[in-house]
């Protein structure tokens, strides 16, 4: 009982299909002040975590 799709190998994912060019073009869009603050706080948090781990190791 074939549904007419070939080369599917039992994969039932019907999600969107993106070309390789579209998939490579990552872009961070920080349009609101809140998003910018959260993004920068995350970067600062990673740096602080790295310093704490470095000091804890010795």
């Amino acid at each position: 009982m074939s549904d007419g799709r070939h080369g599917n190998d039992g994969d039932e994912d019907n999600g969107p299909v993106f070309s390789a060019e579209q998939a490579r073009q990552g872009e961070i869009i920080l349009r609101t002040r809140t998003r910018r603050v959260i993004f920068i706080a995350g970067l600062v948090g990673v740096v602080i975590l790295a310093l704490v781990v470095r000091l804890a190791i010795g």
Side-chain angles (χ1 to χ4, degrees):
M1 296 205 313
S2 176
D3 62 359
R5 291 182 278 176
H6 299 287
N8 200 10
D9 294 334
D11 202 11
E12 294 296 326
D13 185 18
N14 292 328
V17 177
F18 298 102
S19 71
E21 186 68 26
Q22 290 172 324
R24 282 187 297 223
Q25 299 301 321
E27 186 175 342
I28 299 172
I29 300 174
L30 303 172
R31 292 185 177 148
T32 65
R33 178 180 167 91
T34 304
R35 289 182 183 181
R36 277 179 258 152
V37 168
I38 291 170
F39 179 75
I40 293 172
L43 292 177
V44 170
V46 168
V47 171
I48 291 173
L49 179 64
L51 289 173
V52 169
V53 168
R54 174 85 182 214
L55 292 174
I57 291 176

